[in-house]
Amino acid sequence: MRNSYYDFNGWGRDSGVVPQKWEPGKPIPFDQEPEKTGAAQQKADGPRRTPDVRKKRIKKPRNQERNGAGGFLFFLALLLSLMGLGVYFQGGVLPQFPPRGGIWDILSGEGDWYRYYEYYEYEEDNWREELKDTTAPRAPTGTGVTLPLDMTEGAALTAQEIYQQVSPAVVGVRVGLENGGALGTGIVMSADGYILTNAHVIAGSRSLQVVLPDNSRKEALLVGYDGASDLAVLKVEAQGLTVACFGSSDQLQVGDPAYAIGNHLGEELWATMTDGIISATERTVAVDGGDMVLLQTTAAINSGSSGGALVDQFGRVVGITNMKMMSDWETIEGLAFAVPSTTAKDVVDQLIAQGHYSGRPMLGITVFNEEGHGDVPAGIYVSSVERKSDAYQKGIREGDVITGANGRRIFSLEDLSEVKSGLQAGQSITLEVWSDGERRTVSVELVEGYVLEN
């Protein structure tokens, strides 16, 4: 969830222009704030990193103006005449309404019958696709630096002590995109300038810059990224930076205190701290056709705080905050997620050593669950196929439905992930595929993820 609301006065474009003046905690200067009038405008201005994985949203019309006394009398008459029909309208006549809408929205002026509600497809940004467009300058690899995990717990710290210890190691990440720029958060993992953040923060970047807590800015090089784990490593030329202490997420239990520190809404709310508990330690979340096993927390995160620190009661970073659940239909509170530090350890060490993570076999397809309708069977629907993948070479295309794998009936992405578990890149998996009414069986070779991302 990087913040991409602003144009940065042209910063990040090929012109190389930088903002003339900026201070943490103050608004970022910009020529003009883009209108936010729907999916098309969002796409033109840069994607908003909000991990709302639904395919549909509901767009409400503006409330209609009403004549004072006449409107009140109309409201009373309508209320009295329809009081007994409220349940019927709520569940029967107006099924198109949102779950919390219905007749009560009409009576309160929030809507004027379902014909005024416009349903539209919301085009979600796919940051994993944008990773392929990343051209930010790269840093040398193979330096021998690794991410250390401190297994000692010691005494629990107060919230104030945790903030004083961790916040100096939280930095801002400025991302120069093809059009405009974006903001995110990073965590200092070495005194000589290695910075850990999310892959979706740097997706599509042309240039990178890190803003340190003392307001100094440094050009950053991209060491490497891994889309499947949503992790990236940057490098700046520096010495003596304050380093965050990383702990083991394996030691966490549900109910443990948790604190999130990041740049909420970008640099306007620099190093904001929120608190909560660990809600789940191994929550599987489907994101863009892949599964991520994440920490779940009630500590609030928002746009701009992606790449920030999830900290335990001992002041150790145990997660890298990367997403939250949102909905236009339902009230959702306290559902935020972070990449576990033990996952980060494995990925980051490989990124610094070789610039990519090679420990994950992939089919090279993006899918979502298909419940089945008409002649289309239940399974997982293929929404896109990587041209570099063996799946593409074997004829799997968008619109196909995978119904089986290695002799097992497949109904969901989780089913396919279980079949893939334990397989290595270079090994094959036999898929049963439904395509335009025909069924066929194909053997597809798994490839290393970085081959598809680069």
Side-chain angles (χ1 to χ4, degrees):
M1 293 192 314
R2 69 185 179 189
N3 181 304
S4 57
Y5 301 166
Y6 304 111
D7 185 33
F8 298 148
N9 238 2
W11 182 85
R13 296 180 178 174
D14 293 338
S15 62
V17 178
V18 298
Q20 296 181 355
K21 186 177 181 180
W22 173 83
E23 301 256 350
K26 295 184 179 180
I28 300 170
F30 55 93
D31 290 328
Q32 118 180 9
E33 186 171 0
E35 291 185 66
K36 308 174 187 68
T37 56
Q41 187 63 42
Q42 285 183 0
K43 184 175 181 180
D45 295 330
R48 294 179 60 176
R49 300 302 181 199
T50 50
D52 184 353
V53 297
R54 292 176 298 100
K55 294 294 181 182
K56 273 187 190 297
R57 292 188 177 185
I58 294 179
K59 181 180 180 181
K60 284 190 177 182
R62 286 184 303 184
N63 295 337
Q64 303 295 315
E65 293 185 6
R66 309 200 189 285
N67 188 335
F72 177 74
L73 292 176
F74 170 78
F75 173 83
L76 275 181
L78 189 61
L79 177 62
L80 292 173
S81 62
L82 296 180
M83 185 72 75
L85 298 178
V87 174
Y88 177 69
F89 271 82
Q90 180 77 8
V93 174
L94 302 177
Q96 297 91 338
F97 272 48
R100 293 181 293 105
I103 189 66
W104 307 115
D105 277 351
I106 297 171
L107 298 179
S108 64
E110 291 295 322
D112 289 303
W113 303 107
Y114 66 88
R115 67 175 177 269
Y116 288 109
Y117 281 76
E118 177 188 357
Y119 285 76
Y120 67 100
E121 289 292 333
Y122 178 76
E123 185 177 353
E124 300 174 61
D125 63 285
N126 189 335
W127 55 268
R128 285 178 177 165
E129 287 296 318
E130 292 179 36
L131 281 172
K132 299 173 185 176
D133 299 326
T134 302
T135 58
R138 303 297 286 258
T141 57
T143 59
V145 174
T146 60
L147 178 65
L149 298 185
D150 183 0
M151 302 297 182
T152 61
E153 293 184 347
L157 305 178
T158 66
Q160 293 83 358
E161 291 171 334
I162 290 172
Y163 186 79
Q164 292 171 3
Q165 176 176 307
V166 180
S167 62
V170 174
V171 301
V173 177
R174 288 181 155 228
V175 183
L177 303 172
E178 184 176 5
N179 294 298
L183 300 172
T185 304
I187 311 169
V188 179
M189 55 165 284
S190 74
D192 61 347
Y194 279 93
I195 311 291
L196 178 56
T197 187
N198 288 139
H200 78 253
V201 169
I202 59 89
S205 60
R206 270 46 177 178
S207 60
L208 297 164
Q209 193 177 81
V210 167
V211 184
L212 299 176
D214 64 1
N215 197 27
S216 63
R217 309 182 197 177
K218 293 185 177 293
E219 297 301 317
L221 300 178
L222 177 60
V223 178
Y225 60 80
D226 177 58
S229 62
D230 195 12
L231 293 170
V233 178
L234 313 181
K235 178 68 170 68
V236 297
E237 289 299 323
Q239 294 294 330
L241 298 181
T242 300
V243 179
C245 174
F246 286 79
S248 172
S249 54
D250 289 345
Q251 295 177 330
L252 293 174
Q253 297 182 32
V254 173
D256 283 349
Y259 304 87
I261 303 177
N263 302 329
H264 294 241
L265 303 184
E267 294 158 351
E268 290 188 65
L269 301 177
W270 178 276
T272 294
M273 182 179 189
T274 59
D275 69 333
I277 62 169
I278 297 296
S279 307
T281 56
E282 294 182 346
R283 181 70 73 200
T284 300
V285 182
V287 182
D288 292 332
D291 280 351
M292 297 186 70
V293 180
L294 303 171
L295 299 173
Q296 181 181 327
T297 180
T298 58
I301 66 172
N302 293 284
S303 257
S305 61
S306 282
L310 184 68
V311 188
D312 68 8
Q313 60 188 318
F314 307 108
R316 306 173 306 178
V317 177
V318 290
I320 298 85
T321 56
N322 72 325
M323 64 180 291
K324 67 186 292 186
M325 290 297 181
M326 299 176 65
S327 174
D328 289 340
W329 288 2
E330 299 292 342
T331 299
I332 297 178
E333 301 290 348
L335 291 180
F337 300 87
V339 181
S341 58
T342 51
T343 299
K345 164 70 176 173
D346 184 31
V347 174
V348 167
D349 287 355
Q350 285 200 37
L351 292 180
I352 296 176
Q354 59 190 23
H356 64 263
Y357 181 67
S358 58
R360 185 182 301 104
M362 302 180 70
L363 281 168
I365 58 177
T366 301
V367 299
F368 59 83
N369 294 344
E370 169 61 63
E371 295 180 356
H373 62 279
D375 295 332
V376 180
I380 54 175
Y381 180 91
V382 179
S383 59
S384 66
V385 187
E386 295 286 350
R387 289 183 174 269
K388 295 180 181 178
S389 68
D390 189 48
Y392 187 88
Q393 300 301 320
K394 296 298 175 59
I396 295 179
R397 295 292 184 270
E398 178 182 352
D400 290 352
V401 178
I402 297 174
T403 61
N406 283 357
R408 173 177 170 177
R409 182 70 172 91
I410 298 298
F411 292 97
S412 66
L413 178 60
E414 290 74 17
D415 292 340
L416 181 60
S417 296
E418 288 180 10
V419 175
K420 283 174 51 185
S421 178
L423 298 178
Q424 304 295 323
Q427 293 182 297
S428 295
I429 184 171
T430 302
L431 302 178
E432 297 172 18
V433 181
W434 178 92
S435 179
D436 293 329
E438 297 183 358
R439 296 178 183 268
R440 58 195 176 95
T441 300
V442 295
S443 180
V444 177
E445 181 179 329
L446 298 170
V447 297
E448 291 183 344
Y450 80 94
V451 173
L452 303 176
E453 292 179 348
N454 293 279

